[in-house]
Amino acid sequence: MRVVIVGGGFGAVQFAKNLRRKLPASQCEILLFNRENHMVFHPLLADVAGASINADAAIAPLRQMLPAIGCRTERVQRINLQSSEIEFDDGSGALERLHYDHVVIACGAESNLGIIPGMTEHAFAFKVMRDAIELRQQVVRQMEQAEASSDPDRRRWHLSFIVVGAGFSGVEVAGEINELVRSSTRFYHNFRKEDIVVTMVHSQDQILPEVAPKLREFARKKMEKAGITMLLNTRAVAATYEGIELNNGKMLRGATIICTIGTAISPLVQQLDVPKERGRIRTTPEMRVEGQTNAWSIGDCAYIINAFDNKPSATTAQFAERQGRQAALNLVRILKGEATKPFRFKALGQLCSIGGYQAVAEMMGVHISGFLAWFLWRGVYLFKLPTWSRRIKVALDWGWDVIFPRDLSFLNTDTAQRLTHAYFRPGDFIHRQGDPARVFSVIEEGEVEVLQTTDQSSEAKVLAVMSKGDFFGEGALLGNRPHETSIRARTVVRLGQIGSALFTQLTRSFAPLRDLLAKAVTLRSGDFWRRLPLGKALLEGESIAPLLDPLPAEFLNKETTFADAITALNASPTGDLLILDEKQRLWATLDRDDLYHIIARIAVIPTENRGDVTQLKLRDVLVGNIPFITLEDSPLVASATMLDHGISWLPVVQGKDDLRPVGTLRGVRISNRIIEKLAHTEADHAHHAKAAS
Ligand SMILES: Cc1cc2nc3c(=O)[nH]c(=O)nc-3n(C[C@H](O)[C@H](O)[C@H](O)COP(=O)(O)OP(=O)(O)OC[C@H]3O[C@@H](n4cnc5c(N)ncnc54)[C@H](O)[C@@H]3O)c2cc1C
């Protein structure tokens, strides 16, 4: 018989151990598939982030913990419940299939930063070991940068840490970071404890909603005394490079954002066509997947009713372990033809460390707080660690931490070497004129404006607008000089960014890329107008309203079919059509040149998925987010934008916040205006010359 376990966390390990105890290898092959070759002891992640233990003390190699089990470090891609097979990547990229007699789905849950705009780009998740290690690096890096910074405002920003969510992991990580940073100030000379700001943002009126009110209150007071600021009844609505935007409209600034809220269902579970409750797999009381005889599910990915109180089991390690143990015993009972038992467990209590050698604990109805609770917390977790070697390692680390200062060394994983993503709200500056060049950015979504101040005027003027697919930053990076323009988000903007070192490496190695970027630099609108001061002078102060062509007689929408769009193009005298979204806002444009792009997009759709090409919808064959300008923009901005994009006309909308179209603007109208003004100027000159003679 073969039992396959998917996952290597608390639930899976207990299942494997207990099944092996009951069934020898001669009777049952047990294979455990886990993405990593170790189990992560999540309750200690905060200690890793706060540098009070080393990362390897909070993980345990599965192979050494489970010597009698076949441990495989592979991601299971799919479970086929009908054919009783799993599919996994065999390491070479090829998919392999394996038959099972019983499968145990114990793949936990994933973190989900996508619930708040900008979190994916700017916040640290706190779920797996990599998150804790990266966070520790980030905290120490921020202290180093604060030490190097001569600007007090920037220094304070480096030393501001924001924790979103004040459940167990939020409280523990805030406590640990606060302790690490404050206890380390004596090794730095450029900042003091007063410069450090650790803020917890929580949507409810109390932290730690799961523990008794008296203990919560104790935790809150102690943490505030330790210097942590609590923003209760407050929600984060967006995250950016500068910090987070709160639901009261205020901006909380900080270089480090840690998001401890938001979980997502594992993709493996999402694929399964089985009964679910809020994404988790519904099981029978004995923990078999509802409707299946040889599939089981335990831990955070399962929805299991606890027979003790008839409530859904909590998603905690305590529950996952008990479920693993009991599901294994139930499988043995089934094999022996005995009756199974429903899952039944009385939770033992709650333990939460709050930093500064303090904790709160509820153990079997007894409430303890302060140093004693902290001591208990450490003792309990020490003995919960899966192996003796890990227990000794963690005990030594903790002993070291009590006597000696925390380790401040960090590997300088230079951000200049990385490809990252960034999120900006309307009005946010992406960079300012004069800032040093840090990154090369490509717009993935949204629209930005290019601004410049000159020696003649300190008021920043909009030079051009850029949208999806456009890029910036290359001029300053290639020329090794500060930015000559500012870039400001007009809408919500998402960017892909390449750090300066990686950019230099790429452009040095790939000549075609360098040439393409160099060409873009020479074409850039800023340069263009600087080289044509007469044209600039003629258009300065002009409005675009008189130059507009009226809106086309007919609008298309995202649902218009390709066939109807072609008919509309044929009927249009100018061949410039506008496509609106559901709210009648500008979404895209269509002209005859776009037909080539559409055909190219259709060509990459596999033939079997294409269906009748003429019936494809515009939303399937066009990308929204085209460049457009507003009525407030000048003809200078319009012509520079057209030049940057190699286009001859632009849609014009009411305003930055009102994307309803008001007309179209053709490049030729701007040229005509220049010619007209030149002719006037010439005539004026001739007139003055005549009058003078
Ligand atoms: C920061 C933090 C602190 C916590 N503190 C506590 C605490 O103090 N007390 C407590 O009781 N609980 C705590 N928890 C909750 C506890 O960690 C979880 O409830 C517990 O880990 C759930 O166990 P599990 O076996 O269901 O899943 P997990 O322990 O998450 O293990 C799932 C495993 O499955 C693997 N996996 C996922 N998909 C695949 C795939 N397709 N193929 C192969 N492998 C896959 C993953 O890599 C992972 O190793 C904490 C959680 C966090 C994040």
Side-chain angles (χ1 to χ4, degrees):
M1 186 179 80
R2 178 185 288 147
V3 176
V4 166
I5 304 170
V6 183
F10 288 92
V13 165
Q14 283 303 322
F15 186 96
K17 269 188 183 165
N18 283 279
L19 191 65
R20 179 50 81 230
R21 256 183 228 139
K22 297 285 175 187
L23 296 178
S26 56
Q27 277 182 31
C28 176
E29 180 189 16
I30 307 175
L31 291 177
L32 182 145
F33 285 76
N34 194 46
R35 283 188 303 217
E36 304 84 26
N37 86 336
H38 54 258
M39 174 188 167
V40 178
F41 200 72
H42 294 108
L44 294 184
L45 286 186
D47 286 50
V48 175
S52 73
I53 61 169
N54 287 313
D56 60 351
I59 55 175
L62 287 163
R63 202 168 292 292
Q64 285 168 295
M65 278 171 76
L66 304 168
I69 310 287
C71 293
R72 309 277 288 263
T73 307
E74 269 130 342
R75 175 196 278 267
V76 174
Q77 309 278 2
R78 219 165 79 85
I79 303 173
N80 188 334
L81 295 170
Q82 278 74 43
S83 62
S84 295
E85 283 178 325
I86 58 159
E87 282 177 15
F88 60 93
D89 185 337
D90 72 351
S92 69
L95 269 191
E96 226 181 85
R97 288 200 175 86
L98 185 80
H99 183 268
Y100 60 78
D101 296 294
H102 283 269
V103 67
V104 184
I105 308 162
C107 53
E110 314 271 328
S111 57
N112 177 15
L113 295 185
I115 52 167
I116 300 173
M119 283 288 176
T120 314
E121 292 86 354
H122 298 287
F124 287 80
F126 200 60
K127 173 83 184 146
V128 294
M129 182 51 78
R130 196 187 52 241
D131 298 334
I133 296 173
E134 282 180 359
L135 185 55
R136 176 181 181 271
Q137 300 270 336
Q138 164 77 2
V139 173
V140 182
R141 184 187 303 118
Q142 292 315 308
M143 288 196 278
E144 298 299 340
Q145 292 190 347
E147 179 77 350
S149 174
S150 53
D151 172 357
D153 191 46
R154 212 63 196 155
R155 196 157 56 226
R156 201 173 158 81
W157 178 76
H158 284 301
L159 294 171
S160 295
F161 303 87
I162 303 166
V163 180
V164 180
F168 280 98
S169 39
V171 164
E172 291 191 349
V173 77
E176 277 296 320
I177 289 178
N178 191 51
E179 186 66 20
L180 167 63
V181 184
R182 287 185 194 278
S183 67
S184 304
T185 43
R186 63 192 161 113
F187 300 108
Y188 293 90
H189 307 286
N190 199 21
F191 62 86
R192 292 166 306 150
K193 281 191 178 148
E194 298 79 75
D195 298 321
I196 298 162
V197 187
V198 178
T199 312
M200 295 183 70
V201 179
H202 190 54
S203 61
Q204 302 184 19
D205 56 4
Q206 272 294 352
I207 61 166
L208 291 173
E210 301 91 341
V211 308
K214 213 175 88 192
L215 290 180
R216 273 188 223 149
E217 198 46 25
F218 174 87
R220 187 179 64 79
K221 282 190 181 144
K222 278 281 173 199
M223 292 183 89
E224 280 178 343
K225 204 166 164 213
I228 298 175
T229 309
M230 309 270 174
L231 286 184
L232 301 173
N233 293 317
T234 310
R235 277 182 299 110
V237 293
T240 71
Y241 178 72
E242 285 296 320
I244 60 171
E245 187 187 340
L246 304 171
N247 60 336
N248 57 18
K250 290 189 181 146
M251 187 75 193
L252 183 63
R253 293 182 74 245
T256 308
I257 307 164
I258 305 131
C259 184
T260 64
I261 58 170
T263 48
I265 304 303
S266 134
L268 187 68
V269 172
Q270 280 175 28
Q271 288 165 8
L272 285 176
D273 185 17
V274 293
K276 293 184 194 148
E277 187 74 35
R278 274 174 269 130
R280 287 158 68 196
I281 301 172
R282 286 185 71 100
T283 74
T284 59
E286 64 192 354
M287 287 171 284
R288 274 198 270 197
V289 176
E290 277 185 9
Q292 305 292 322
T293 50
N294 66 341
W296 303 71
S297 187
I298 52 174
D300 282 6
C301 67
Y303 182 82
I304 301 169
I305 298 294
N306 182 2
F308 176 76
D309 55 8
N310 282 323
K311 288 187 180 157
S313 300
T315 48
T316 62
Q318 274 185 55
F319 274 84
E321 280 192 335
R322 298 315 184 291
Q323 289 164 356
R325 189 178 306 160
Q326 198 180 327
L329 299 181
N330 275 344
L331 172 55
V332 175
R333 287 186 189 110
I334 285 173
L335 295 175
K336 287 186 182 164
E338 294 171 5
T340 56
K341 291 188 178 169
F343 174 67
R344 185 186 181 84
F345 172 57
K346 181 175 186 298
L348 299 174
Q350 317 262 23
L351 285 163
C352 183
S353 144
I354 57 175
Y357 307 112
Q358 302 283 319
V360 289
E362 263 182 270
M363 299 294 284
M364 293 172 213
V366 182
H367 293 173
I368 313 167
S369 55
F371 179 77
L372 188 63
W374 176 82
F375 197 72
L376 185 74
W377 177 84
R378 290 222 153 165
V380 168
Y381 281 124
L382 203 57
F383 281 92
K384 270 178 162 277
L385 283 173
T387 61
W388 271 106
S389 63
R390 281 296 176 278
R391 282 177 203 147
I392 295 168
K393 223 173 192 178
V394 172
L396 287 176
D397 276 1
W398 276 341
W400 183 275
D401 171 45
V402 172
I403 303 166
F404 299 105
R406 297 185 184 202
D407 185 1
L408 292 177
S409 57
F410 84 111
L411 298 171
N412 198 354
T413 46
D414 192 352
T415 47
Q417 291 282 5
R418 279 200 257 139
L419 171 68
T420 51
H421 296 272
Y423 172 92
F424 297 88
R425 300 160 311 149
D428 283 351
F429 273 91
I430 294 164
H431 65 240
R432 289 175 196 268
Q433 194 172 339
D435 280 353
R438 269 188 322 112
V439 285
F440 168 69
S441 304
V442 179
I443 304 176
E444 293 175 337
E445 183 193 323
E447 180 159 291
V448 302
E449 55 195 7
V450 185
L451 301 145
Q452 198 172 43
T453 52
T454 54
D455 295 341
Q456 291 78 40
S457 155
S458 59
E459 191 199 333
K461 290 223 170 87
V462 180
L463 296 182
V465 287
M466 292 197 262
S467 61
K468 186 170 178 165
D470 290 335
F471 50 84
F472 53 88
E474 75 289 340
L477 285 170
L478 289 172
N480 198 15
R481 54 169 165 75
H483 290 292
E484 290 183 345
T485 54
S486 301
I487 304 280
R488 187 166 59 190
R490 277 196 161 187
T491 59
V492 159
V493 170
R494 287 195 153 86
L495 302 176
Q497 297 190 313
I498 298 178
S500 52
L502 184 58
F503 178 84
T504 310
Q505 237 170 305
L506 281 172
T507 47
R508 271 202 197 127
S509 315
F510 300 108
L513 176 65
R514 188 186 50 234
D515 295 346
L516 186 87
L517 294 170
K519 203 165 146 200
V521 175
T522 52
L523 273 181
R524 278 286 185 232
S525 37
D527 275 16
F528 165 72
W529 282 124
R530 212 173 306 137
R531 283 188 267 119
L532 282 177
L534 176 61
K536 191 176 176 194
L538 287 172
L539 288 178
E540 205 110 64
E542 288 275 316
S543 148
I544 55 169
L547 305 176
L548 290 193
D549 281 338
L551 286 168
E554 186 188 1
F555 290 119
L556 307 182
N557 61 56
K558 287 161 133 184
E559 302 303 315
T560 307
T561 62
F562 189 32
D564 288 345
I566 291 179
T567 313
L569 262 185
N570 260 335
S572 157
T574 55
D576 306 339
L577 294 177
L578 302 184
I579 306 166
L580 306 186
D581 69 6
E582 309 73 27
K583 294 187 177 157
Q584 303 304 302
R585 292 172 307 198
L586 180 71
W587 179 71
T589 56
L590 184 74
D591 62 20
R592 293 195 170 93
D593 286 346
D594 291 322
L595 289 183
Y596 296 110
H597 300 295
I598 295 180
I599 291 164
R601 284 178 73 87
I602 293 175
V604 296
I605 306 177
T607 328
E608 61 277 18
N609 298 348
R610 262 182 228 167
D612 179 358
V613 169
T614 58
Q615 292 311 303
L616 284 173
K617 307 270 170 62
L618 289 181
R619 71 172 143 76
D620 300 322
V621 291
L622 271 178
V623 189
N625 251 319
I626 32 89
F628 60 85
I629 53 163
T630 72
L631 271 181
E632 297 121 47
D633 290 319
S634 70
L636 280 172
V637 173
S639 48
T641 305
M642 284 187 243
L643 186 87
D644 276 356
H645 291 85
I647 50 179
S648 57
W649 70 282
L650 268 173
V652 181
V653 299
Q654 192 73 42
K656 284 180 200 170
D657 303 323
D658 182 356
L659 301 191
R660 282 173 304 148
V662 291
T664 59
L665 179 63
R666 308 187 66 77
V668 67
R669 299 243 176 231
I670 300 175
S671 320
N672 286 346
R673 183 75 190 124
I674 294 179
I675 294 166
E676 230 175 78
K677 285 196 86 172
L678 266 178
H680 269 284
T681 321
E682 288 295 315
D684 278 355
H685 276 314
H687 177 74
H688 287 310
K690 207 170 163 194
S693 64

